[in-house]
Amino acid sequence: MAKCNLSIELAEENESFWGGQSVRGTVVVHTDADVQCKGLEVKTAWRTHGYGNVATGAGQTLTVFQGQWVAGQTYRYDFELITAPWPPTYHGHYLNVDHAIEARAYIPWSFDPKTSRMIQVWPTGGPDDVLVGQAAQAANGGVGLKIFGSVFFLIFAIVILANPFAWILAIPIGMLVGVWWLVFRFLPRARLGEVEYRLDTPRLAPGQELLAELVIHPKRNVQLNRILWKVSGTEICVSGSGSNRSTRRHEVFANELQAAGETTLPAGQVTRIPLRIQLPETTAYSLDLSDNRLSWTTDLVVDIPHWPDWKANAGFQLLPPVALGEGSAPPLPEAAVIEPTAGSPPATMPPPADSGGAGVTFDETVRHIWAARGDEEQRELLITAVEDIPFEIQAVIERRLLYGNDDPAAYRDGYVVWAHYPDPELPLTLYAPHHLADDFEQANRDVWKGRGRISGYDRRHGRLKIHLDELSQ
C-alpha cells in the first residue's frame, strides 16, 4: 500500500492571524513508497468541538500538486491562503471554535493521508447576516409569540375542518391554550395597560453600555413589587438528533439588576423606566453555527403582587468593535496561544499511581486538563505527564463511530467511541478493543466504567484520547 506522511510549516513564527488575512506556508511530503497523487489539497478551515454537533466551514482551498511521488523523497509545496473571516477562534465551556490549515493527499485505492496545523484567528468583522430584526424590540412579550399563536391556531383550524371527530380532542387542547393565554398574556396586560419594551440598539461591542426603556401606560393605579432586568450571554449547544437530541446551556455572563422597587404607578400617566447596564470586556461574541450558538439576551419581569407577572425578552448582537466601524483592529498578539483561564493549574502534576497506590486520580487529572483547555502548551505538558498511566475511567457514552480501522490510533478490529467525562464535561475519544464491542453497542448517555490509559489529545475535535485496556471490564 502506498504511503506518505504530510506536515505543515508556516512562514511566520506567530500563529495568530486576522480573519481574511493571508497565511503563507509549506506542505512537506515524505514518501516511503511510490505514490500516485490525484491531488494535494491545502485549505484554511474552522470547526466547532465540545458538546454540540460539529459544524465546519472553509476559508480558501488550493490544489498545489497532482502527479507521481517517488519513494524515499521529500517534497515541499508552498501555499498562500486566506483565513475564514468568521467565526473567530473561541474557547468556552460547552462551545469551542478552532481554525486550522489542513492538507490532504488524495491517493487512489488507499486511505488519504492528511494533517493539520492549528492557528488562531481574530475577528475583523462580524457574521455575514446579523439577524437585527429578532433583536430590535419586544413589545408586550414579543412579536415571536404572536406569530407562534397565529400559526398554532391556523393549524388547529385546518385539523378540525379536515376531521370532524377531531373536536373531541380539540376541546381540552383549546381549553389549555385558553388558560395559558389568559394567565400569561391577557391578565398581566389587563392590569398594566399598554406596555412597551425596547432596546436602543441591537448591535453592541464589548464594554459598551446597553440601553433600553420600559414604557407603561396604566389605566388605573397599579402596585408593583419590583421590576427585574437580566442581561445574559449563553452558550447553547445541541448534540444528537431525533429522540437522542439534547441541549446544554452555560451562561458566560449574567447580570441582573432591580430597575424599580416596590412602587405604585399612577393611573393615566405614562411611566418611563430607563434601563442600562455595562457589558463585559469579552471575546464571547454572538455566534450562530448550526447546533452551536452563543446568544446575548435580555429578560424583563414586572412583578405584580397577587397577579401573574408581565414578562418580555429581547436579544442583541455582541460584535467585535471593528465590525461596528469603531476604529481599526489592534496589533496581533505575538503568540497564538489563547490566554489561560483564571485559576489554571501549573504545567506540572504529581505523577499518578496505578489503581493499587495513592496518587492523582482520573477525576483530578480531568479537572487539571479542563482548567488548562485554553492554553495549548500547558495542556500538552499535562497530558504528556500522565500518558500511558493506568486509570480507573468513567465516561458518559455519546456514540460509537462507524469508522475505526481508518483511525491509526484504533485497535486492530477495534472501535472508536465518543464520550465525555460527567463533570466537568471534557470530551473524550475512547479506543476500545474488539471484545468490548457489546459494551458500546446500545450504550447511549450511559456511564461506562473500566480501565484505560491516556494516549494523547485530538486537537481537531478537542477530545482527550484514551486507550481502554485489553482486559478492561
Side-chain angles (χ1 to χ4, degrees), residues 326-338:
E326 299 181 3
S328 58
L332 281 168
E334 295 182 357
V337 297
I338 296 178

Side-chain angles (χ1 to χ4, degrees), residues 412-431:
R412 181 179 177 85
D413 298 326
Y415 301 92
V416 179
V417 180
W418 275 12
H420 64 266
Y421 191 73
D423 185 23
E425 294 185 351
L426 180 70
L428 308 173
T429 296
L430 307 181
Y431 295 100

Side-chain angles (χ1 to χ4, degrees), residues 254-265:
N255 195 352
E256 185 177 73
L257 60 84
Q258 182 170 296
E262 187 173 348
T263 186
T264 299
L265 305 182

Side-chain angles (χ1 to χ4, degrees), residues 91 335-341 344-347 368-383 457:
H91 288 172
V337 297
I338 296 178
E339 294 182 2
T341 54
S344 296
H368 278 285
I369 296 173
W370 177 263
R373 64 191 185 280
D375 187 335
E376 183 176 346
E377 180 179 0
Q378 182 173 322
R379 183 193 66 214
E380 293 300 325
L381 288 173
L382 291 170
I383 292 174
Y457 189 78

Side-chain angles (χ1 to χ4, degrees), residues 85-303:
W86 189 267
T89 299
Y90 172 75
H91 288 172
H93 186 78
Y94 289 135
L95 171 61
N96 302 280
V97 181
D98 275 314
H99 287 249
I101 309 296
E102 299 180 353
R104 180 171 185 166
Y106 292 92
I107 309 299
W109 306 104
S110 178
F111 292 116
D112 298 331
K114 53 188 176 181
T115 188
S116 64
R117 178 74 176 268
M118 302 289 288
I119 60 174
Q120 185 167 358
V121 173
W122 299 84
T124 54
D128 294 333
D129 50 347
V130 178
L131 302 179
V132 177
Q134 288 186 354
Q137 65 177 30
N140 291 330
V143 177
L145 288 174
K146 295 181 180 179
I147 297 175
F148 171 79
S150 300
V151 172
F152 176 83
F153 281 111
L154 177 61
I155 296 175
F156 187 74
I158 292 174
V159 172
I160 293 296
L161 293 174
N163 186 355
F165 296 100
W167 63 268
I168 298 175
L169 295 175
I171 292 177
I173 294 175
M175 292 177 63
L176 289 174
V177 173
V179 170
W180 178 89
W181 179 83
L182 176 68
V183 172
F184 296 104
R185 311 299 303 151
F186 176 77
L187 291 179
R189 198 162 47 200
R191 176 62 63 92
L192 292 177
E194 185 180 351
V195 184
E196 299 176 38
Y197 168 51
R198 55 179 176 267
L199 304 182
D200 278 12
T201 175
R203 308 175 74 206
L204 293 157
Q208 290 185 338
E209 194 172 43
L210 175 63
L211 302 176
E213 185 179 46
L214 174 65
V215 183
I216 304 177
H217 306 253
K219 297 180 180 179
R220 66 192 73 176
N221 291 341
V222 178
Q223 184 179 359
L224 303 180
N225 284 334
R226 56 182 178 172
I227 298 175
L228 297 177
W229 192 46
K230 181 180 179 180
V231 179
S232 58
T234 307
E235 295 177 2
I236 306 170
C237 295
V238 179
S239 65
S241 60
S243 60
N244 292 326
R245 192 174 177 87
S246 60
T247 303
R248 294 290 177 90
R249 299 171 183 268
H250 175 75
E251 287 188 340
V252 298
F253 173 80
N255 195 352
E256 185 177 73
L257 60 84
Q258 182 170 296
E262 187 173 348
T263 186
T264 299
L265 305 182
Q269 296 185 21
V270 177
T271 300
R272 297 182 179 273
I273 302 173
L275 306 167
R276 60 176 58 203
I277 201 167
Q278 190 78 25
L279 296 175
E281 293 286 354
T282 180
T283 56
Y285 304 119
S286 297
L287 297 173
D288 190 353
L289 310 173
S290 186
D291 289 330
N292 305 269
R293 292 185 290 128
L294 204 165
S295 299
W296 288 85
T297 57
T298 66
D299 294 279
L300 186 68
V301 177
V302 179
D303 186 350

